[in-house]
Amino acid sequence: MNKFFDYLVYDLPLQAIRDLLSYIQRFVAVFAGDMPVEGKMGRYAFCATNLGEGSVRVHWVQVGRERIVVDAVV
């Protein structure tokens, strides 16, 4: 999880990162299996995979026009 915050801390405030992470976890939990899904929360887009048992792998987060490769398990 620290890797997720480390990659985004320069582009987003901590509260926005927390909100985004919570949203990603809820969004991806709806989808079963190990297929990556893309979603959007306001002006932030993301791609993540449900790994099961509450774990999510976040592949990238897009802030505005900048796509940030994260590849972190949270």
Side-chain angles (χ1 to χ4, degrees):
M1 175 144 61
N2 290 335
K3 187 176 180 182
F4 182 80
F5 280 88
D6 290 345
Y7 278 108
L8 297 176
V9 73
Y10 298 107
D11 296 297
L12 299 172
L14 286 178
Q15 188 59 47
I17 296 172
R18 286 186 188 108
D19 293 344
L20 180 60
L21 178 58
S22 175
Y23 182 81
I24 290 171
Q25 289 172 323
R26 288 191 319 268
F27 182 87
V28 175
V30 172
F31 298 95
D34 56 354
M35 290 287 290
V37 293
E38 293 184 10
K40 189 171 183 179
M41 182 187 97
R43 65 184 191 108
Y44 312 121
F46 58 87
C47 179
T49 303
N50 184 359
L51 299 177
E53 299 180 15
S55 294
V56 172
R57 168 169 259 128
V58 181
H59 304 286
W60 54 261
V61 174
Q62 186 167 333
V63 179
R65 292 180 182 252
E66 179 184 5
R67 185 170 286 184
I68 304 162
V69 177
V70 178
D71 195 30
V73 175
V74 291

